[in-house]
Amino acid sequence: MTATEAVDAARARDAGAYRPAVERLATVDRAGLVLGGVVRLLLEEGHPDGLDGDDVRQVLERCVRAAATWWPEVDPHVLLVLLAGALGVYDPGDDDDPPDPAAVARHAPLLVADLLAVTDRPFADYLSAAFAEVARTELHD
């Protein structure tokens, strides 16, 4: 699976494997939606009492610092948009320069890999839950 390959490459900090994986991920419909769901689930699990601004800043800083050591193309703005989107507080219509799907595909696995580092559950569990959530949402729309 493309998302799994991208997240695995991010977790391994393998830029050679990451680039083609995120390029494939960018061609998958709903990739950003599903990985956004994974991010939301990870944030909820990692912060059961909710997140405040300091928590968001810590997640963002930790992810940028970790990714920059092996993926210098990391863009903090895109990661912040992904975090805000996962939390339901981002409206692309309010953004003068929203990230394109390719930028989302290049950054979502970085955020997922960073958040997975603090959990003991496998990525597949979160991915399955996110797919189920997307399916439920589409069924009710």
Side-chain angles (χ1 to χ4, degrees):
M1 167 161 281
T2 305
T4 301
E5 291 170 1
V7 170
D8 287 348
R11 291 179 88 182
R13 298 176 180 208
D14 182 350
Y18 190 72
R19 184 173 303 282
V22 294
E23 287 173 0
R24 284 189 300 275
L25 187 61
T27 67
V28 176
D29 282 346
R30 305 275 189 210
L33 183 62
V34 171
L35 287 178
V38 171
V39 168
R40 186 186 55 73
L41 292 168
L42 285 162
L43 289 169
E44 286 176 355
E45 185 173 304
H47 300 86
D49 296 329
L51 281 91
D52 61 20
D54 287 337
D55 295 325
V56 171
R57 187 177 68 250
Q58 284 178 334
V59 169
L60 181 62
E61 287 176 357
R62 186 183 64 226
C63 184
V64 169
R65 283 191 179 111
T69 63
W70 65 274
W71 188 254
E73 299 170 36
V74 64
D75 182 341
H77 174 74
V78 176
L79 290 172
L80 180 59
V81 166
L82 291 171
L83 280 168
L87 296 170
V89 296
Y90 175 74
D91 180 357
D94 293 339
D95 191 343
D96 292 336
D97 189 24
D100 62 27
V104 170
R106 286 189 305 271
H107 288 78
L110 298 174
L111 191 53
V112 169
D114 183 73
L115 292 168
L116 279 169
V118 297
T119 184
D120 291 329
R121 288 180 49 201
F123 173 58
D125 290 356
Y126 295 98
L127 191 59
S128 295
F131 271 120
E133 187 174 303
V134 169
R136 266 191 313 273
T137 301
E138 289 181 351
L139 184 65
H140 290 88
D141 282 348

